Amino acid sequence: LVLPMWVVSSLSNIDNAWAIVRDRTEQAGVCLATALCDEAAVGRRPVTLVGFSMGARVIFRALEELHAKKKFNVVADVILMGAPVSTTWTEERVAKVAINNKRGQWSKARAVVSGRFVNCYSRKDWILGALYRYMEWGICVAGLGPVPIAGVENIDVTTLVHRHEEYADRVEDILRLAQFTSTTSRS
């Protein structure tokens, strides 16, 4: 199979941009965790984190970092929407270490959240499906289906979100569907 040069060139541009953004989300996640640990900046009340797409990936990385720092009192609730975070694991013996590591990443992220941990996904998000599967070689991704980890609530928002970029416009509807209320609306 020989691809036209413009296809190969386009794929390499996507490859480079994805790698840069992925690396920056890792850095931003560490920075977010550090900021959340700073009581002078944030205070002592746990926070609620809401993010979509790469913002959700930043949050997930921050949760991993908070677990490493043993900070279990910082995050109250998390809602991830269209998250490009792998949920690919099988029970193959050859890759057992890597598989357990991915399952462990989700378990550690969940352990840091004292309240609800919600994964919102759309089965019609072909942009996330194509890009994530091409760039990360992950078959299963949180933004496309449920996360099979105890304590993670999975909400199918396929009826609300048909394209990846629609998450930004549908945040209020998704939060309503997830029965997520802010503390300001309770007073």
Side-chain angles (χ1 to χ4, degrees):
L1 175 69
V2 177
L3 296 173
M5 189 53 119
W6 67 270
V7 171
V8 174
S9 175
S10 295
L11 289 176
S12 73
N13 289 339
I14 292 171
D15 222 2
N16 186 39
W18 180 273
I20 290 169
V21 172
R22 183 189 58 221
D23 291 345
R24 297 237 171 105
T25 62
E26 294 291 313
Q27 295 167 2
V30 172
C31 289
L32 176 59
T34 301
L36 292 173
C37 291
D38 184 0
E39 288 182 6
V42 180
R44 292 187 177 175
R45 297 186 71 179
V47 298
T48 295
L49 301 173
V50 178
F52 95 93
S53 192
M54 287 302 195
R57 190 174 172 117
V58 168
I59 291 170
F60 190 83
R61 179 65 185 103
L63 296 175
E64 289 180 299
E65 188 69 17
L66 288 170
H67 188 276
K69 294 178 179 212
K70 302 194 182 321
K71 294 290 187 176
F72 298 101
N73 59 344
V74 176
V75 179
D77 301 302
V78 168
I79 185 162
L80 305 179
M81 298 175 277
V85 179
S86 180
T87 60
T88 300
W89 50 74
T90 61
E91 296 306 322
E92 293 178 29
R93 223 169 190 31
V94 178
K96 199 160 190 149
V97 173
I99 291 161
N100 288 339
N101 185 31
K102 287 182 183 177
R103 188 181 299 270
Q105 287 172 317
W106 276 94
S107 295
K108 288 176 182 177
R110 177 61 187 106
V112 173
V113 181
S114 63
R116 295 177 66 195
F117 191 129
V118 181
N119 170 51
C120 298
Y121 63 91
S122 173
R123 296 185 189 281
K124 292 183 180 178
D125 188 346
W126 68 269
I127 291 174
L128 179 60
L131 277 177
Y132 190 82
R133 288 175 179 148
Y134 169 71
M135 303 310 293
E136 300 287 336
W137 291 92
I139 301 302
C140 299
V141 58
L144 295 175
V147 176
I149 293 291
V152 176
E153 298 176 47
N154 293 290
I155 298 178
D156 186 346
V157 297
T158 303
T159 57
L160 296 173
V161 177
H162 300 101
R163 296 185 324 270
H164 193 68
E165 61 274 12
E166 288 181 339
Y167 278 104
D169 297 329
R170 303 310 296 259
V171 170
E172 281 187 53
D173 297 327
I174 292 168
L175 294 176
R176 200 172 304 115
L177 179 67
Q179 298 175 351
F180 233 81
T181 57
S182 70
T183 54
T184 56
S185 66
R186 291 184 204 154
S187 51

